[in-house]
Amino acid sequence: MKPLISVIINNYNYARFLPDAIESALEQTYPHKEIIVVDDGSTDHSREVLRPYEGRVQLILKENGGQASAFHAGFAAAQGEVICFLDSDDYWAPQTLERVASVWRDSLAIVEWRIECVDADGKPIGKQLPTRLPPRGDLRPRLMRHMFYPCTPTSANAFSRRALQAIFPLDETLWRISADLPLVLAAPFYGELEFIDEPLAYYRLHGSNLFHGMPMDWARLEREVRQGLARERIIREHAMRQGLKPHPRLGYSLPVLNLYRLMLLLARRAVPEMQGDTRLKLALWGTEAALKTDTPWTWRERWGYIRPLWASLIAPRKALEQAVRWIFWNASAEELQKFLSEAHR
């Protein structure tokens, strides 16, 4: 028997893209579906856009609470055995749900598929995600050592109801954006992962995405570190429920996160979650992470993550500049200097 699939479209102020997302859900060739649209307190004309769809989709209109809040509201209304979240600025190929249903089995917690990056007008820009194929099957051993795998954004994931019931509720304050991250990290503890190597979704990069890229902004960097460190707590919590023990240095296993932490530490902007971080710890364990990562980096790329960590022990200012230049490699000299000048404010 084919599963009922619940499609939850979360929207906040994307009225111009919203029809494409809804129409792509309505036009799915798979018949056993329900479509729920959660408007998270939009202040543009999103609700006028939604009015003609009343009766064809289930509408949930709520006050603004962020993406995790929208996920919770949609899931509370969903009846499906399989749950898909679709961002309102993205859209799907017509056969997406049919392909998900064709591979679905009881042992799965998550199905991911390839996603095509497009511009604001829906024109492909020549990039697909993930850049590397994720491992299929049981991801727990990998997550408990690396707290990462090549995952896809919100609109290219389907979750089992069983997994989401075990994961929810999320911290709505921490996950106002990027609420798909705790889902893709925790779901593998409740079943296997399957990947469909076909571009079935379209990820729109239009210049105002909250999730795309890392701007040169200290407040955003602080948020990235808080969410990055939350990865470890998520994995440890769900591993502990199953009697599993993650690697003791799991929290230092992401090279880019180690550089983010070093930047905040040197700029005297450390967030509370960084309590216990020292330059020596970051140098020792950050080096281990850069050397042992299974990302196919060259030695030059590994050195780019290691050099600032060790430089921080003898030349903190120089190390901060090295880290900033490595992370924001495509920024102009003027942008870099402005960012560095704001370091200790």
Side-chain angles (χ1 to χ4, degrees):
M1 184 176 177
K2 295 294 186 181
L4 174 65
I5 302 181
S6 298
V7 178
I8 300 171
I9 300 174
N10 63 101
N11 176 66
Y12 177 66
N13 283 351
Y14 279 151
R16 59 179 171 149
F17 303 126
L18 185 54
D20 286 349
I22 297 175
E23 292 293 342
S24 78
L26 288 170
E27 292 170 1
Q28 289 298 301
T29 56
Y30 185 74
H32 307 296
K33 63 182 182 292
E34 64 174 359
I35 301 168
I36 301 164
V37 182
V38 181
D39 184 75
D40 189 38
S42 292
T43 56
D44 63 1
H45 63 286
S46 289
R47 296 196 174 180
E48 287 75 16
V49 170
L50 288 173
R51 196 170 295 123
Y53 292 102
E54 195 165 1
R56 301 175 67 195
V57 304
Q58 181 179 347
L59 298 180
I60 298 176
L61 309 179
K62 59 184 287 297
E63 294 183 0
N64 180 251
Q67 192 177 31
S69 172
F71 282 4
H72 290 154
F75 184 63
Q79 301 297 315
E81 174 188 342
V82 180
I83 313 293
C84 296
F85 295 100
L86 173 59
D87 285 340
S88 58
D89 52 342
D90 299 336
Y91 55 100
W92 284 337
Q95 71 275 23
T96 300
L97 297 186
E98 190 171 342
R99 291 292 291 118
V100 171
S102 73
V103 303
W104 193 265
R105 56 186 185 270
D106 290 342
S107 62
L108 293 177
I110 180 172
V111 172
E112 298 188 353
W113 51 91
R114 190 169 290 283
I115 194 165
E116 181 89 31
C117 297
V118 299
D119 65 15
D121 298 319
K123 182 180 178 182
I125 62 174
K127 180 180 180 181
Q128 293 186 352
L129 299 173
T131 54
R132 290 188 293 142
L133 293 182
R136 294 174 167 89
D138 183 0
L139 267 61
R140 291 175 300 176
R142 178 190 175 91
L143 285 171
M144 290 191 296
R145 180 61 185 90
H146 298 291
M147 66 180 187
F148 164 81
Y149 67 93
C151 54
T152 50
T154 308
S155 302
N157 290 274
F159 301 94
S160 70
R161 169 174 288 276
R162 179 187 69 254
L164 292 183
Q165 286 173 331
I167 297 167
F168 284 158
L170 304 176
D171 181 337
E172 294 184 359
T173 301
L174 179 60
W175 301 108
R176 286 189 61 87
I177 66 170
S178 303
D180 55 326
L181 181 59
L183 303 188
V184 299
L185 291 175
F189 286 90
Y190 301 97
E192 298 173 341
L193 179 143
E194 184 59 78
F195 182 73
I196 303 172
D197 194 10
E198 303 170 27
L200 297 173
Y202 300 89
Y203 180 49
R204 210 187 298 257
L205 302 179
H206 46 78
S208 57
N209 305 64
L210 290 175
F211 318 110
H212 180 59
M214 166 65 80
M216 297 191 71
D217 178 85
W218 285 102
R220 176 66 188 267
L221 185 62
E222 290 166 10
R223 183 165 62 245
E224 290 284 338
V225 168
R226 292 187 65 229
Q227 291 185 341
L229 292 173
R231 287 172 179 252
E232 180 184 14
R233 297 196 300 273
I234 290 164
I235 291 168
R236 290 194 183 279
E237 174 190 346
H238 294 283
M240 183 177 65
R241 293 184 190 180
Q242 299 177 14
L244 301 173
K245 292 185 178 181
H247 192 279
R249 294 188 293 283
L250 176 66
Y252 292 89
S253 63
L254 289 181
V256 69
L257 178 60
N258 292 330
L259 273 198
Y260 290 170
R261 291 155 77 173
L262 180 71
M263 289 160 63
L264 292 184
L265 196 65
L266 297 178
R268 299 174 195 157
R269 288 176 173 265
V271 296
E273 291 85 350
M274 288 172 54
Q275 186 175 7
D277 270 359
T278 65
R279 286 177 285 168
L280 182 59
K281 280 184 182 179
L282 287 168
L284 290 172
W285 297 340
T287 297
E288 179 185 53
L291 292 177
K292 292 187 175 181
T293 180
D294 63 357
T295 303
W297 285 338
T298 64
W299 278 104
R300 178 184 176 278
E301 289 169 318
R302 293 174 198 270
W303 178 240
Y305 285 97
I306 293 171
R307 183 176 63 164
L309 299 174
W310 288 100
S312 73
L313 300 179
I314 55 175
R317 281 187 172 274
K318 184 66 175 177
L320 178 59
E321 182 177 337
Q322 288 175 350
V324 169
R325 289 185 182 280
W326 183 254
I327 293 297
F328 304 113
W329 58 271
N330 60 345
S332 68
E334 291 76 17
E335 289 172 326
L336 290 168
Q337 286 306 313
K338 181 177 185 295
F339 184 71
L340 286 167
S341 71
E342 297 169 348
H344 301 293
R345 292 183 186 175

